[in-house]
Amino acid sequence: MSLAVQAEDAQAVPQPPQVAATAPADAQPQAPVAAQPETPAAAPQAKPGKFDLTTMVIDYKEYKVGDIVPQAYTDKTYTITEWQKRNLSAPDAGTHWAYINANYILITDEGGRIVKGVSGDIFFKG
């Protein structure tokens, strides 16, 4: 088939009719919608790591971030001073790592509030 015949065939195909959008006779004109001001997005939260815990069991009771550990665990005997050797992040000012029930728990120096929990398996991270 020659190019001329192909061009004729293409021109012979009728175009679909264009449908004009018409409003019903009783429709009220609408004002354009004003753009809504964007609300600032929430600050992105840190993605939990592979070893991060959402709950911890201490003395047969379940605790979560924000809870206060029993007073006995705020004692220096549970404090981890060589956190680097255990693949833990540096504790923030006013906090320290404690080793409780085979897990590492970051707690506040004053009050023992749980800031973060990390599985004891992080020690074997290699």
Side-chain angles (χ1 to χ4, degrees), residues 49-95:
K50 176 181 175 182
F51 298 100
D52 289 352
L53 301 173
T54 55
T55 60
M56 297 130 272
V57 176
I58 303 171
D59 295 339
Y60 304 102
K61 184 178 174 193
E62 191 172 278
Y63 290 82
K64 62 185 181 329
V65 173
D67 291 342
I68 297 175
V69 299
Q71 183 66 35
Y73 296 105
T74 60
D75 188 63
K76 294 291 182 196
T77 57
Y78 294 95
T79 300
I80 301 295
T81 56
E82 295 181 334
W83 46 267
Q84 302 94 331
K85 291 181 181 179
R86 292 168 172 80
N87 299 311
L88 298 169
S89 60
D92 296 328
T95 64

